[in-house]
Each structure stands twice: as structure tokens, then as C-alpha cells.
């Protein structure tokens, strides 16, 4: 892998805001991929994509909201914008889009790298109270992922549509015992 990354880590407004971001470009030679098929002599066969490239930018931040009025109210978030593709992959195996039949020796150059959504983002709002000097934290969060493929052939049957998840959590840390009790829920 040839990796180039340019980033920044900052703290602003007397530490109330933290922002980190990076631009990156990864050129990868012989990226190992996998293919699930009984036709390949087993359940999983491994291949090398001759060349692949992943580039984009990501950022994250933490902001303490209204510190003069509300203690320990924090907004945390981040996002990544990525273009990830096989730039040269001439010996792939997969299933044909129309028929679903197994095909070996396929050219998947230009296909999206598996499990590489173009956009992901998360956002969390949390508030902490102290009960007898032990923290009780309540938070709500959201996560978004754009569509992604689970197979190098990028056929529609391997497409994971874009989705969002939401959740909430309450957590209490009893400091003397170093014991944390957490209840949470996600969709």
C-alpha cells in the first residue's frame, strides 16, 4: 500500500471544541478479496485484485454545548466521504447479474471495493450527571451509511441499500468498584 494522508487535529475556544480531519489517498497492490462459492473447492476462495484505490476525507468533532448554562452536555459527530474501487481486477469470480450463474475470470475493474460505502456519518448527544460523585450518562445517537456491496462483482443481490440506525443509552459508573451498568436500545 502506498498511503498519503494530510490531516489536522485542533482544539478551539479554550478546549470547548475539538476538530480533527484528514484527506487521504491509498493506492493498493494485490488487495486480497474473498468469494463465497462451493465451486471453488470450498466455502471461501481468496483472490488478489491487482490494483485498488481508496481516497477521500473524514472528520470528527466534539463540542461542549452551552457550558455556561449546562454542565457536561456534549455533541460528538463525524463523517467519512470515500471513493474506493478496484482499478485493475481482471481475474475475479462471482455470479452473473441476469442469470445468477457462477463466472470465473471476470474483469471487475472499476467496481466498488466491498464494504466501502461512499458516505458514513454519526452524531451523538450526551449529558452526564453526577450522583454521589459517580457519573450517570444519557445519550442518543444516529448513524448513516450509504449503499455498499458485499461481493466484488457488485451484482444487485450483494447490494446493501443505504440505511440509518438510531439508539439511546443510559450508563452508570460506580467508581469505588469500577463497575458500569448500561442499558441501551437500537433500531
Amino acid at each position: 500500500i502506498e498511503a498519503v494522508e494530510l490531516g489536522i487535529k485542533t482544539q478551539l475556544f479554550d478546549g470547548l471544541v475539538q476538530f480533527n480531519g484528514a484527506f487521504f489517498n491509498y493506492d493498493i497492490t494485490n488487495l486480497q478479496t474473498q468469494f463465497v462459492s462451493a465451486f471453488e473447492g470450498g466455502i471461501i476462495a481468496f483472490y488478489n485484485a491487482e490494483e485498488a484505490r481508496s481516497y477521500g476525507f473524514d472528520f470528527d468533532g466534539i463540542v461542549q454545548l452551552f457550558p455556561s448554562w449546562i454542565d457536561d452536555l456534549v455533541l460528538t459527530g463525524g463523517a467519512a466521504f470515500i471513493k474506493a474501487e478496484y482499478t485493475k481486477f481482471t481475474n475475479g469470480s462471482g455470479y452473473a447479474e441476469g442469470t445468477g450463474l457462477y463466472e470465473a475470470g471476470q474483469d471487475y475493474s472499476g467496481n466498488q471495493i466491498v464494504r466501502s460505502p461512499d458516505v458514513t456519518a454519526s452524531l451523538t448527544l450526551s449529558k452526564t450527571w453526577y450522583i454521589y460523585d459517580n457519573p450517570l450518562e444519557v445519550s442518543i445517537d444516529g448513524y448513516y451509511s450509504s449503499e455498499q456491496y458485499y461481493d466484488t462483482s457488485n451484482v444487485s443481490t450483494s447490494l446493501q441499500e443505504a440505511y440509518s440506525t438510531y439508539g439511546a443509552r443510559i450508563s452508570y459508573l460506580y467508581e469505588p468498584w469500577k463497575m458500569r451498568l448500561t442499558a441501551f436500545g437500537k433500531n
Side-chain angles (χ1 to χ4, degrees):
I1 185 169
E2 181 180 297
V4 176
E5 187 168 331
L6 177 63
I8 186 170
K9 292 181 180 269
T10 64
Q11 284 196 349
L12 307 166
F13 307 109
D14 294 325
L16 296 176
V17 175
Q18 179 180 331
F19 177 80
N20 307 309
F23 291 95
F24 59 89
N25 182 68
Y26 303 141
D27 289 314
I28 307 161
T29 304
N30 293 321
L31 175 65
Q32 189 176 67
T33 64
Q34 66 183 21
F35 175 69
V36 179
S37 172
F39 297 109
E40 295 290 318
I43 300 301
I44 297 178
F46 293 95
Y47 294 90
N48 286 342
E50 294 100 315
E51 298 172 7
R53 183 174 185 218
S54 178
Y55 62 94
F57 69 96
D58 61 14
F59 66 90
D60 63 76
I62 301 172
V63 178
Q64 293 184 34
L65 300 173
F66 316 113
S68 298
W69 299 309
I70 305 171
D71 290 335
D72 301 313
L73 180 62
V74 178
L75 181 66
T76 306
F81 301 89
I82 301 171
K83 177 69 173 169
E85 69 180 4
Y86 302 107
T87 52
K88 184 177 180 187
F89 190 5
T90 58
N91 191 29
S93 291
Y95 298 101
E97 179 69 53
T99 63
L101 296 176
Y102 170 77
E103 298 178 321
Q106 297 299 301
D107 187 352
Y108 294 142
S109 302
N111 284 6
Q112 183 182 31
I113 294 176
V114 296
R115 297 179 181 87
S116 298
D118 291 339
V119 178
T120 57
S122 64
L123 193 63
T124 302
L125 180 64
S126 63
K127 170 70 174 109
T128 303
W129 292 271
Y130 289 88
I131 301 171
Y132 302 109
D133 295 325
N134 298 295
L136 172 71
E137 182 183 21
V138 175
S139 65
I140 56 173
D141 59 72
Y143 173 79
Y144 169 79
S145 175
S146 63
E147 66 183 23
Q148 61 185 307
Y149 290 95
Y150 288 106
D151 188 81
T152 56
S153 63
N154 287 183
V155 294
S156 60
T157 56
S158 73
L159 177 66
Q160 166 66 61
E161 296 287 341
Y163 67 93
S164 298
T165 61
Y166 305 96
R169 180 187 60 180
I170 184 168
S171 180
Y172 180 71
L173 175 63
Y174 186 64
E175 291 278 0
W177 294 356
K178 303 291 185 209
M179 181 179 71
R180 180 178 300 274
L181 179 63
T182 303
F184 63 92
K186 279 195 179 282
N187 71 331

